[in-house]
Amino acid sequence: MTYTIVGGGIAGLSVAWHLARSQAGHRVQVLEAGELAGGASWAAAGMLAPVHELEFQELELLQAGLQALAYYPAFCQALGVPLDTTGTLEVPLDTEDLGYLQRLYRFQQAQGLAVTWLEQEALRTLEPELSPHIQAGILARTDIQVEHRLLLPTLIDALLHLGVELRPHTPVYSWASLGAGSTELQTNQGSLSTNRLILATGCGLPGAELQLPHKVYPIRGQMLALETGPQPLLRHSVRIRSKAYGPAYLVPKPNRLLIGSTSEEMGRDTRQRAGGLLDILRKTYRVLPALYHLHVQDSWAGLRPATLSRMPCLGAVAPGVWMLNGLYRHGILLGPYLAQQLVAVLQGAEVPAVLRPFWLNFSES
């Protein structure tokens, strides 16, 4: 039996990892149009934050995110990658946003989430470098983070150790289900056949976009990395809420601080815009003035794969063909857990209730 995963981001690599660990004797291969883990997964910030990612209309996504968060310690332990469990703060950008944050806090409480309201003094005790104009915030101790730029290469090494065939720079241009457990792919290296195909392409590369059964749209996010040295300005990740100017975040990493991010529908253009970076710097500087003196280490843009509903989609789309995509701003969080559940269903398990709102309805019967 041959399993072929198209897409070498966190979702596709996680599918390959779960397959290789549970399907001994079967061939598992990953075809990636560019560099392995070189797309949206690499461009992310590594936040595992289902509580502070919550929007009022996303209760089904919240439940999936909580399940994904609960799975992460076992996933990282198996790979030998540590988690940063310090927690996450959410703060208003301006006084006008304080009422919105209070409403969000009440909503989070109503969902039974472990959140704490902090007034200014308690907030500044946790993070002394926050601006004095920040009057209050929400602490979610369960919203944590992972160093994704350690996780991804570690995952790739684990796949090689398990005997998975990793084929970067192998774009897939088309696929056709032939029935009888066979699907044919057309690649830049010719045609190949597989018994099970999993489409986890994300947005794909410009010029190598594979036609998907369910359309995925690129949402560009720009970010910066600032040099901090061994003494970080922040211990907690800080998310910023602003009704007028949109959200932003600051994520402390070893020797650097990630700040972001924009959310732009600009097609597949990954060039950075001065205006986008300026928006990020304006918002984050207002919350953390001390970043003014930090050196810029790097800046980049990535394309988040989003469906029209902004919800993930996974499940069977044709005989022997499955899809895992549309993870949007939740890729690092959801990828490993959704991969685990997809592989379990491939092996005959029932679709868990928490994933049914996102499960595709095609039946192979």
Side-chain angles (χ1 to χ4, degrees), residues 7-23:
I10 184 66
L13 294 175
S14 296
V15 170
W17 186 75
H18 286 98
L19 281 171
R21 283 163 53 94
S22 62
Q23 295 283 6

Side-chain angles (χ1 to χ4, degrees), residues 226-242:
L226 307 178
E227 295 179 7
T228 60
Q231 298 299 322
L233 292 177
L234 295 172
R235 293 188 304 111
H236 299 76
S237 296
V238 176
R239 303 180 68 93
I240 302 167
R241 290 273 182 168
S242 171

